[in-house]
Each structure stands twice: as structure tokens, then as C-alpha cells.
Amino acid sequence: MFSSELKKGSTELLLLSLLEARPRHGYEIGKLIEARSGGKLQFKIPSLYPTLSRLEERGLISGRWVEEPGQRRRRFYRLTKQGSAALGEKRATWHEYVATVNLVIEPEGA
Amino acid sequence: MTDWNSWVRERLDLGDLTDTHAADVVEEIGQLLEDHYTHLINSGANAAEAEAAAREHIDNWEDLRADVARARRSRRKTAGKRIVEGVEAKSLGKGEHWASFSNTLKDVHMAGRALRRSPASSLVMILTLALGIGATTAIYSVVEAVVLRPLPYPEADRLGLITFTGQGMNDSISITPSQTIDFAEQARSLSTLGTYRSFTNTLELDDGSVVFVPIAIIEPQIQRLLGISPSRGRLLEPVIAGETDGSTSEAMISEELWERHFAAHPDILGREIDVAGGSGPAVIVGIVPRGTRFLVHPQGERERIDVWLSRAAVTRRGNVFSQRAMAQLAEGFTFEAASAELNSIAERNRARDFENEDGRGVLAVVPLRDRLVKAVRPNLYLLLGAVGFVLLLVCVNVANLMLVRSLRRRQEWALRAALGASRSRIVRLGLTESLVLAALGGVLGIAVAAGCLRLLPLVTPDTLPRGAEIGINVTVLAFAAAISLATSLMFGLVPAWNASKIDLRDSLIEGTRIVSGAGRVSRALITVQFALALVLVVGAGLMLRTIVNLNSVDVGFDADGLLTFQVLPSVSMFEEPATRLQFYREATARLEALPGVESASWTNLVPLSGGFNSASWAYDEETVERFGELTAYFRRAMPGYFQTLGMPLLMGRDFNDDDVDNDRYVLIVSERMAEMAWPGESPIGKRVTIDFRTASGMTELRETEVIGVAPSSREVTLHGDEPPLAYLPAWSTRAVNRAVVRTAGEPMELLPLVRALVKDLGVRRPLDNTRTVRRNIQDATADTRFILILTGVFSALAVLLAGLGVYGVLSHLVGQRRHEIGVRMALGASRRSVRSMMMRQGLAVVAIGLGIGLVLALGLTRVIESMLYGVSATDPATFVSVGALLFAVAAVACLIPATRATRVEPVTALREE
């Protein structure tokens, strides 16, 4: 649907925004992206998991294992202080970018 | 159902990560797969379908492994040590090495793609770089071989030559035999001292033919200083003076001579060899390996020796400054300390060898390398500087092309930035492009350098020391790599940085219109180019004026049509002065009888052949009091010398046979000497006392009588003031074996006849130094011509680059301003006004550059002041004409794009926007 480059560039933004409200585990994040995009964005483990790891490595999110009764333990991620600052910045850039592209792609004289 | 953890563990090799972390990764990915499986079941799939789909979910395990490893820098194992959380790992793990290498590959790949996208400009950049890097590398390889490379001797830094500069003497490198012995015995600062002599003379081969070979006669300790190790046989053994009389001495020959003239015969050792100028036949005891050099002569003479002869130890005989000595400093001494010690030893012993004030002077131990390259070093550094300017110009040109290209690619950069590429990533991509360009330019440049080095012998003077060692070696390659890297930074950083500063919104909206900032940079670069080019061209212009001046120097005689050669009769032939004179007279008569020969005579030094003899002279006590000791250059001449040279005497008479036969001390002085000594008086009949000390090394005062005045001529040097010159008749000396022959036609065509004639007179050895005087004049200007040719080539390159630079930038500017030009023309601007507006744009920048260049040149031409002749380093005519020339080139370069601007159709240009 969208070019992989575009997706790659925005994956971090997507993940960070989904963690803004509350901590979530990996699969939940993947499913949420699919659901909210109406199935237009489909995330696979090979792109999702390393991105989570990278964000954690950079200290933008932090993960910990949580055991829920009757289930195997899952790793939940939450946004760190640094992460929410980065999210604000990325969101602004994105909006600016989209607005800019819109300006360019609008038909002339419209 | 699959155990997803084991499924993952079997497929994901996380050897790079710490064990606990690897387990976490496996567990989490396993959980994700299990969640996926559960999700599929819940969506209505059957177990088999869900399991198959989950298994195929991860299609490339290797990529996942690499991605995880890259993401988890801090969780990696490093040499068994745990890394503190949050601290970046210093050394990279295996996976990371690969990842960073593959990233670099990716960058290089992207750079290659970007360069291929505009092949023409990429090619221009690569070729420009190749030219700049190649020329610089070629000149560097000369500097490296001649100036920088250590001499090929063990402990070469401690080798020196002992020089003596006597009062009123020219710099000389000889010392007396007594001094040699004193220094060897007493100087604590010298660990070894040995004397040597080198010359070219003839070797008679078994088949009766005679060849010239370079010969060195050395004391055996010199072999150790030079680190000679024979490829066959052994080194020379010390000769004890007096014991070798009549018996044979020892010789080593070069591998080249052995192959060339002895067919590499294996039984060469033990054979006898007899070279003229040696002390009789010598037994060959060793073969000296190819590439052995005897580097003692600053003019690059006889660097390869074919015959090494042993020399008996020096004995105390006479106080003649006849010995050339090479010495090695003892451990812990400097050249200054050694010089000081030699001076004090010499002064202590001076009274034993000399009377009065004789033998006073300054001794010095001069580092061998300095002695060799001191004269050429400034020239070579000058050329390296000049070619460095060319390289700078190349960088500026390429930077400008890159800048223009990066402007065209602003949207690409902007998109990358919007997608999250950081500034450093963009700069890195830009730099990678530059590096790829520079690498390609560098590789091609080495080929260019190799080509230049093949052409170089056509222009390098024969007098360049160590010329044979010039070539491309590891050091030169490293230099080429280093300057390629440096240039890529120089031409790559500005555009890359400029690109990274992109304002997203601006560049996306503005399309490709030029940004004023980048335009400023382009124009600044053009300014720099013209400034650099002007300095180079002014330098070349001054050298050109110098050459023209030197070539039009009035030498005072007719230099055209003069053949000179040297005869080498055997010692026995010349034993008796009478037979010697007989030979010369007969030779003269027969030479003059040859067709096309007008006259012939003999001398000891051919005009402008570089050699000189000087001696101090005085004509009365009053002069000595007034001027101190005067020095003149002395030459010997047979009757007819002045007539042959075409410089008829101004007063008095020529030498005659009677003067020669009776060893008369009569003198013909140059007009210059006459003016110095007897202003306003006739010199004829005046008496002059000459001190022949420096000519023979011994004090020998002789009174002579002036019988003639010759016109002042440039027989000694083309440069500087012509020194006073005096001629003595060629009586007893043996050295008067150089012929000067006035011919009507081309002098060198006469040689076969001359050879036959001399052979017929009983001289078996071939003629030496067969040259024309015109050739001597050319050789005297060889150094200047060498610099002129190279700076000329560099200047031409510089002008071309600067012209292309301003052309490129203005063309681009015209392209960017089509819209504006269209508006102007729609509003009624004439084509002419548009053209002159664009011309002004380009030429204003050029004019600033030329202004800066003029100021720079005023400062920098001082460097070449000492190389100039007849023109000042700030010669206004040269400066102005070079400035005008460059301005004209710039005007032509600007005219093309400016004219193109006038062809803009207003309607089309406006519609395009």
C-alpha cells in the first residue's frame, strides 16, 4: 500500500504514539496499528520487534516482563520521559511534512 | 502445537548477545508468534492453517538477527566482559562489524547510484581530480626521491663531507692531505674518515674498443660508509702506500658493466682491468650490486659508478687542497661540534704546513644530504607549491560542481530528512559521494602520475641529483591516497553541509530555484579560483620573462656555430711539452683545413661549460690596500682563441707561438678587469701579480705583463655580474685539451670528420664532451627552463579550471534565473541589457578574485626573486598583463552563458513556473 521507505521512517512515530496513553505489549501494538489504519498498515514481527528494541536501547521506551494469571508472561513497554519529548518532536515534524507535501500536491488554482 | 520458543531459538542465532538477553529476545519473539497463532485461531482459522501461517510470518531470520543485534548494542558480549548498561560498547561485535560494513557498502552503493545519475558531470569531476591528484603526486614523487628520502646508506644521517672555504676562495670541498691525516687521527667527533675521487675516463676492452666509464677511487673505509656489499667476490682491501708500486691494485666493477661489457662472464673475478686515470691495471675482486649509488655530487654526476678502485692511504705530501673527504660522525656528536673540532685541529697544525696567513679558512662537516640537494630543494618545493595551487583549484572546481548538483537534489535530501534521516546521516551520504569520487580520481591520478613521470625526463635538467631514484613507491602511493582523502573533504564538506542545512518547507515549496546562500558559496569559490590562478600565472610569467632575458643576454662572442670537444691523449703522448705543443699545432692546422671550418683553437675551459678557475691577483700595493685581495677568473688559451670565438681584441695583441714556447707570463685581460684596475688608462704593459694558490693549491706569486684587452664576455656565467676575466697562454699545463672550432654550418655534423682526424693523430680514446656552445647556453638555463615548463603547464591548467569554473557557475545561474530573465524581457529589457547584466554578475566576482590574487602574488613572488633575471618580482607589466589575460579568459567564459540568457523566450520562461 505504502512504500516501505515511508513506512520505515514513520514506524518509530507510530509505536511511540501508541504507547503514549498506556503501556502495551508488542503484539497489542501491532494489532492496534492494523486496526486503527483499517488494515492498511500491516506490521510484521521482523520490523516491529527490532524497532521496539531500538527505541528501548535509546531510552525512549522501557520494557519489563509482566505475568498475568493463567497466561505466559509478556513484555510490556511504556513511554519514558525522553520518549514523550521525542514523540512531541516527531509528531510536529510529521505534521509539518504532511502540510508541506499537501501544499505542493494540491492542484494549481484550487 | 509448536513450542514457539524452541522454534525461535533454533532459527535465531543470537551468539552476539549476552545469554540472559538472548533468552529474553527468544521468549518475547516466541510470545509474539504464539499471540499471532492464537489471534488466527480466534479469527476462525483451523489449527493447521494458523500454525503454518505463524511459521511463515518471519520469512528472513538472518535480517531479523542482524536487526536485533544492531538494535541491542549494549547487550552484546565483549571479550567475556559485561557491559555496563547504558554505556555504548567500544568494540564492535561480529554482527555489528558486518552491519557497519554493510552500511558503508550501502552508502557507497547509494553514492555510486547518485554519481551515475549525472554521468557527464561525474566524469568531468573524476577527470579533473585525476589531473590534479596525478600532477601533484608526480611532483611529490620527485621531491620524495630527491629531497625527502634518506640516502641509501647505513646511518646516512651521520654522513658528511668535509669542506674548506679559504679566504678569498670560492666554496670548495677539498682539504689537504695533512689535514686528512690529522682529522682521521685526532678528531674525536668523527668515527670514520675516508678520501675519494670520482671522474669519467676511458676503459679499453679486450676487443680493442674504448668506452667511457664513471670511476671512483676510494679509500676502503668508504665502502663501509656506503654499505656496499658485493654480489660476487669481496670488498677492496686497504692498500699500503709504497707497496703497490709496480704491482697491481684492486677493483670492483658494477653489475651493469659486468653484463654490458663482460657478457656477465662467471670467471670475471681475478681478471685485470685498466682504466685511464687509474694507477695501472687492477685485479677485479668483486661485483657491486645494481642500484648502488655514489651520491656525493650536487649536480647528479656519476651517481652510478662502473669501476671502483682502491686508493692508497693518504700521505703527508704538500699543502695542496686536493683531498675530498667523507666522514661519519661519532656517536653523540653534531655536525656543528665536528666542524668546530676540525677548525681547532687545523689551526693548531697550520703553522707546520703553511707560511704566513696561508691555509686560513673555515672548515665544515656538511651533512651529505644537504650538500647534495641544497641547491635543488627550493626549486622542487616551489614546484610542489605550484602544483598544490592547481590541486586547490581542482578542489574548488569539483566543490562547485558538487554544490550545483546538490542544489538539484535538494528535494531528495529534504525527503530523506522528513523521513527521519539525521543531519549527520545526510552529511555522511554527501561525504561518501565525495570519497567515491576522490577514490576514483585518485586511482586514475596515480596512472596520470605514472604517465607524467615517463614524460618528466624530457624536461628535468641532467643536473638533478638522485634523478634515477624517482618513481612511484609505497610512500608516493600513500601520499596520493592522503591527498585524495584530503581533497574529498575539501570539496565534499561544503556542499554536504550546505545540503544538510536544508529548510524542509522552503526546499519542497521552492522547487529547484537557487538559494542565495549556495549562490554566495559558489561565487566565493570562483573568487578563490581566480586569485589562485593569477598567482600561478604571474609566477610563470616572471619565469618566462627570465628565460627570454637569459636567452637574449649578449654573451660578448658569437655563440652560434661553435663546436667544442675534449681530446684525451695518453699520458706518454703528452709527457714532453714539446710533443704536446706539436700535437695541438698539428691538430689546429688539420682542423682548419676541414671543409666548413673557419678557425680553431684550444683552451682549458669551454665558454659557459660550468667550470672555472679563480685566483687572486693584484697589480700594485696600493690596490691591495684599497680593495684587499681581488679575485679573477683565469683561462688558458692558445693563439687564435679570440678570433675563433668571434671576439676580436680591443687593444694589444693575441698570444703567439713564441709566448707559448717560452712559457711567457703574459696576460690578456677582459675589458671589465681593465676598467677595475686601470680606469681611464691603457692597461697594455701594466704588470699584475697573480697568486696561483687556488689554481694549484700552492702559493705561487708570479708577475705577469698585460699584452691585450678582450671584450667583456659571459664565458663564466649567464647570471649576475660578469666577473673580471683574464687569459694566460696555454704553455706547460696539460689541461688545455678542449678545442673550440668555428664552423660555417651545423657544428655537430662535423664530428665524424673530427673523430677521424684525431684518431689519425694517434689518439685512441674517443672524444669527450662533444657539444656546441649554444648547447652550453641552453644547459645554463636548464633549471630555469625546467621551472618555466612545469609552472607553465600548471598555469595553463589553472586558467582552464578557473575558466570552466566561472562558466559552470554562470551557466547554472542563468538556468536558475530563467524566470526572472523572462519577466525582465517581458517588461521590455533588451537582449543586450540582459547579456550585460549576466556578464556583470560573473565578471564582478572574477574581478574581486583577481584583486585578491594580485595582492597574494605581490607577497608570494618574492619566493622566486632569486630565480629571476632581468625582471623584478613585482614587475608591473607582468602583473597587469596576466590580470588582463585572466580577465579576458573569464569574459569569454561568461559570454557563452550570458548570450544563452538572452535567448530566453519570455512566454516560455513564465509558463514554466
Side-chain angles (χ1 to χ4, degrees):
Chain A
M1 173 95 358
F2 293 113
S3 83
S4 65
E5 190 164 45
L6 193 60
K7 245 160 70 176
K8 208 159 131 195
S10 47
T11 306
E12 292 187 1
L13 174 60
L14 296 178
L15 298 197
L16 291 174
S17 356
L18 288 176
L19 293 177
E20 194 178 22
R22 63 180 182 81
R24 299 176 199 276
H25 63 79
Y27 197 70
E28 189 186 356
I29 298 172
K31 280 293 127 189
L32 267 175
I33 292 173
E34 282 188 24
R36 289 200 182 171
S37 68
K40 282 178 185 155
L41 295 175
Q42 281 196 336
F43 275 90
K44 291 197 150 196
I45 296 171
S47 57
L48 179 69
Y49 182 72
T51 313
L52 283 171
S53 300
R54 194 164 59 239
L55 290 173
E56 185 176 21
E57 184 77 20
R58 274 154 50 188
L60 302 184
I61 61 175
S62 84
R64 71 190 170 96
W65 291 101
V66 174
E67 279 185 64
E68 287 174 21
Q71 285 185 359
R72 289 175 45 179
R73 59 176 193 160
R74 287 196 170 85
R75 202 164 156 82
F76 277 76
Y77 294 93
R78 65 172 181 82
L79 205 58
T80 63
K81 216 178 205 171
Q82 236 180 310
S84 74
L87 173 61
E89 219 170 273
K90 277 177 188 286
R91 208 174 248 153
T93 310
W94 179 259
H95 284 312
E96 192 180 358
Y97 173 59
V98 171
T100 309
V101 172
N102 284 341
L103 277 174
V104 175
I105 63 181
E106 284 310 308
E108 279 182 53
Chain B
M1 193 191 85
T2 310
D3 173 355
W4 293 108
N5 281 8
S6 346
W7 167 264
V8 173
R9 196 175 303 115
E10 279 164 24
R11 280 157 189 79
L12 199 58
D13 170 20
L14 293 169
D16 299 344
L17 301 182
T18 61
D19 293 345
T20 31
H21 186 64
D24 274 2
V25 173
V26 167
E27 187 177 349
E28 193 172 357
I29 294 177
Q31 183 61 50
L32 286 168
L33 285 173
E34 196 176 324
D35 280 344
H36 188 48
Y37 171 81
T38 316
H39 171 79
L40 292 170
I41 296 278
N42 292 344
S43 330
N46 66 34
E49 285 167 359
E51 190 158 333
R55 281 177 182 229
E56 280 163 20
H57 185 83
I58 298 173
D59 46 6
N60 191 334
W61 290 92
E62 178 49 35
D63 278 1
L64 179 60
R65 184 203 64 75
D67 287 346
V68 170
R70 199 178 308 140
R72 287 298 188 183
R73 286 160 192 277
S74 66
R75 307 289 171 90
R76 259 180 268 118
K77 285 180 197 163
T78 43
K81 254 191 266 168
R82 274 282 176 101
I83 293 171
V84 184
E85 192 105 28
V87 175
E88 186 100 346
K90 284 263 164 55
S91 69
L92 303 177
K94 192 175 76 188
E96 187 66 14
H97 269 310
W98 172 246
S100 97
F101 177 62
S102 89
N103 260 351
T104 310
L105 275 186
K106 208 180 280 172
D107 283 356
V108 169
H109 182 73
M110 284 178 73
R113 216 166 50 194
L115 295 179
R116 276 198 303 273
R117 226 176 285 148
S118 35
S121 85
S122 299
L123 193 67
V124 168
M125 288 196 268
I126 291 170
L127 290 179
T128 316
L129 282 168
L131 219 54
I133 293 173
T136 312
T137 303
I139 298 297
Y140 176 78
S141 65
V142 176
V143 172
E144 196 272 335
V146 176
V147 180
L148 300 177
R149 197 183 301 168
L151 298 177
Y153 305 133
E155 301 181 76
D157 285 346
R158 286 172 35 215
L159 285 184
L161 298 181
I162 302 176
T163 67
F164 175 75
T165 311
Q167 284 175 347
M169 278 172 70
N170 289 293
D171 182 299
S172 150
I173 67 162
S174 300
I175 55 178
T176 69
S178 284
Q179 283 174 333
T180 310
I181 295 167
D182 291 344
F183 298 157
E185 287 172 357
Q186 298 166 28
R188 289 185 309 118
S189 56
L190 303 180
S191 62
T192 315
L193 184 153
T195 59
Y196 66 90
R197 220 148 55 83
S198 82
F199 52 92
T200 300
N201 216 321
T202 52
L203 167 67
E204 193 174 335
L205 299 169
D206 289 349
D207 63 4
S209 62
V210 180
V211 291
F212 280 104
V213 288
I215 301 158
I217 305 189
I218 55 171
E219 283 187 281
Q221 57 266 39
I222 296 262
Q223 299 170 106
R224 201 153 43 77
L225 297 183
L226 302 181
I228 295 177
S229 96
S231 57
R232 272 163 180 260
R234 58 168 173 85
L235 289 173
L236 304 172
E237 273 177 7
V239 186
I240 290 112
E243 287 188 7
T244 51
D245 289 341
S247 70
T248 50
S249 55
E250 294 183 342
M252 295 188 294
I253 62 170
S254 69
E255 223 165 89
E256 288 94 336
L257 185 77
W258 178 45
E259 286 171 5
R260 195 159 19 93
H261 291 304
F262 297 94
H265 200 284
D267 295 335
I268 185 73
L269 301 182
R271 282 173 66 169
E272 280 192 354
I273 188 171
D274 190 2
V275 292
S279 51
V283 177
I284 299 173
V285 298
I287 305 284
V288 176
R290 199 176 294 280
T292 304
R293 304 254 171 254
F294 191 48
L295 303 171
V296 290
H297 204 292
Q299 254 97 50
E301 283 171 27
R302 292 183 291 277
E303 294 190 342
R304 196 195 79 208
I305 294 292
D306 272 340
V307 179
W308 302 79
L309 296 170
S310 56
R311 173 179 210 193
V314 176
T315 51
R316 286 188 198 277
R317 55 184 156 78
N319 48 5
V320 181
F321 290 89
S322 57
Q323 306 294 312
R324 295 179 176 218
M326 183 187 279
Q328 186 179 44
L329 291 185
E331 204 79 59
F333 284 92
T334 61
F335 285 101
E336 291 75 24
S339 304
E341 189 184 14
L342 296 196
N343 278 310
S344 69
I345 294 173
E347 187 52 37
R348 207 161 56 225
N349 299 328
R350 199 176 59 82
R352 180 193 63 206
D353 300 328
F354 295 100
E355 289 170 9
N356 309 323
E357 293 300 290
D358 292 346
R360 267 198 204 285
V362 179
L363 285 149
V365 187
V366 182
L368 183 54
R369 182 139 71 134
D370 276 11
R371 179 88 198 170
L372 278 181
V373 301
K374 204 170 170 186
V376 295
R377 197 158 34 198
N379 291 3
L380 293 181
Y381 279 138
L382 176 81
L383 289 175
L384 195 60
V387 81
F389 268 50
V390 174
L391 188 62
L392 268 178
L393 272 157
V394 163
C395 284
V396 173
N397 243 24
V398 175
N400 245 335
L401 287 171
M402 292 281 281
L403 201 59
V404 166
R405 178 195 294 211
S406 78
L407 290 174
R408 281 195 213 115
R409 290 172 58 193
R410 293 174 40 151
Q411 279 157 311
E412 178 196 332
W413 299 122
L415 191 65
R416 283 185 197 284
L419 291 176
S422 61
R423 171 174 292 195
S424 68
R425 166 91 182 143
I426 289 181
V427 171
R428 201 175 81 192
L429 268 176
L431 274 184
T432 309
E433 271 188 53
S434 321
L435 267 177
V436 170
L437 274 176
L440 292 170
V443 170
L444 209 57
I446 289 167
V448 171
C452 290
L453 289 187
R454 300 190 71 151
L455 294 177
L456 203 63
L458 299 179
V459 291
T460 41
D462 300 336
T463 53
L464 188 69
R466 307 187 75 184
E469 296 173 56
I470 297 169
I472 292 180
N473 56 20
V474 180
T475 320
V476 171
L477 288 179
F479 175 83
I483 58 168
S484 302
L485 188 72
T487 52
S488 79
L489 286 178
M490 283 175 66
F491 71 73
L493 261 183
V494 175
W497 185 249
N498 214 50
S500 76
K501 282 192 308 192
I502 288 168
D503 181 312
L504 292 186
R505 180 175 279 181
D506 277 3
S507 50
L508 286 166
I509 296 171
E510 234 189 310
T512 56
R513 204 181 296 165
I514 197 164
V515 183
S516 59
R520 264 204 300 278
V521 176
S522 271
R523 287 201 289 268
L525 292 179
I526 294 299
T527 313
V528 171
Q529 280 197 312
F530 274 87
L532 293 177
L534 184 108
V535 174
L536 264 185
V537 182
V538 163
L542 292 174
M543 293 312 288
L544 182 66
R545 295 279 304 270
T546 298
I547 280 280
V548 170
N549 291 341
L550 282 177
N551 282 342
S552 57
V553 163
D554 179 10
V555 290
F557 55 89
D558 183 2
D560 291 308
L562 274 180
L563 175 70
T564 72
F565 59 87
Q566 184 180 2
V567 292
L568 299 163
S570 61
V571 178
S572 57
M573 247 184 103
F574 264 29
E575 207 73 73
E576 286 297 314
T579 32
R580 200 153 62 226
L581 288 174
Q582 177 65 29
F583 170 83
Y584 285 130
R585 284 186 180 134
E586 198 173 337
T588 307
R590 292 184 59 174
L591 278 169
E592 288 180 339
L594 288 178
V597 172
E598 290 166 6
S599 70
S601 184
W602 299 83
T603 177
N604 63 333
L605 287 166
V606 169
L608 291 165
S609 59
F612 56 79
N613 283 334
S614 60
S616 54
W617 55 279
Y619 52 93
D620 57 28
E621 280 179 21
E622 193 198 340
T623 327
V624 176
E625 268 169 33
R626 254 166 61 205
F627 299 113
E629 277 186 349
L630 293 168
T631 305
Y633 289 82
F634 282 85
R635 296 188 170 232
R636 308 276 184 169
M638 289 289 238
Y641 178 79
F642 299 99
Q643 182 204 338
T644 305
L645 252 61
M647 43 189 283
L649 295 181
L650 301 174
M651 286 171 143
R653 64 165 178 90
D654 192 1
F655 302 126
N656 56 33
D657 287 352
D658 193 41
D659 298 328
V660 175
D661 290 339
N662 299 313
D663 283 12
R664 282 227 186 91
Y665 280 86
V666 287
L667 200 62
I668 294 176
V669 298
S670 69
E671 198 182 359
R672 166 127 182 80
M673 184 165 166
E675 278 165 8
M676 277 175 77
W678 307 279
E681 277 180 75
S682 165
I684 307 295
K686 300 281 186 190
R687 307 198 85 76
V688 177
T689 304
I690 300 174
D691 176 354
F692 286 97
R693 177 175 52 185
T694 52
S696 67
M698 303 235 227
T699 299
E700 190 188 336
L701 295 175
R702 286 288 189 149
E703 200 179 63
T704 59
E705 185 192 340
V706 177
I707 57 163
V709 179
S712 282
S713 70
R714 295 218 158 251
E715 283 192 62
V716 180
T717 164
L718 275 180
H719 293 258
D721 293 333
E722 176 67 20
L725 195 57
Y727 306 83
L728 288 158
W731 12 244
S732 42
T733 174
R734 260 184 211 145
V736 187
N737 56 359
R738 287 165 168 87
V740 285
V741 181
R742 164 76 54 197
T743 65
E746 162 56 41
M748 295 304 271
E749 282 172 9
L750 210 63
L751 269 179
L753 289 177
V754 172
R755 286 211 171 91
L757 184 156
V758 172
K759 203 169 176 183
D760 200 38
L761 284 170
V763 178
R764 289 176 58 218
R765 295 193 232 159
L767 302 182
D768 198 5
N769 293 316
T770 52
R771 307 157 67 87
T772 62
V773 171
R774 183 49 70 187
R775 168 83 194 277
N776 284 344
I777 294 176
Q778 279 166 10
D779 283 1
T781 58
D783 281 357
T784 316
R785 200 166 44 242
F786 174 55
I787 295 172
L788 171 70
I789 291 173
L790 289 186
T791 50
V793 170
F794 299 156
S795 299
L797 276 176
V799 172
L800 184 72
L801 287 168
L804 284 176
V806 69
Y807 167 79
V809 167
L810 203 64
S811 295
H812 184 70
L813 201 64
V814 167
Q816 299 303 332
R817 292 179 59 181
R818 282 172 65 80
H819 181 69
E820 180 207 324
I821 294 169
V823 172
R824 281 175 191 271
M825 292 182 71
L827 292 176
S830 68
R831 282 173 198 274
R832 174 189 288 227
S833 73
V834 166
R835 184 168 54 216
S836 64
M837 176 187 79
M838 293 314 291
M839 291 283 286
R840 268 202 307 277
Q841 290 265 339
L843 290 180
V845 179
V846 169
I848 296 170
L850 291 179
I852 296 172
L854 282 175
V855 176
L856 266 180
L858 277 177
L860 285 175
T861 48
R862 224 163 280 163
V863 177
I864 56 168
E865 202 156 21
S866 63
M867 301 177 191
L868 301 178
Y869 177 76
V871 58
S872 120
T874 55
D875 178 52
T878 308
F879 275 62
V880 168
S881 49
V882 167
L885 170 80
L886 282 179
F887 195 78
V889 168
V892 171
C894 289
L895 194 62
I896 304 163
T899 308
R900 202 179 299 142
T902 64
R903 299 211 195 95
V904 170
E905 284 299 327
V907 183
T908 330
L910 290 175
R911 199 178 290 146
E912 273 171 7
E913 195 64 7

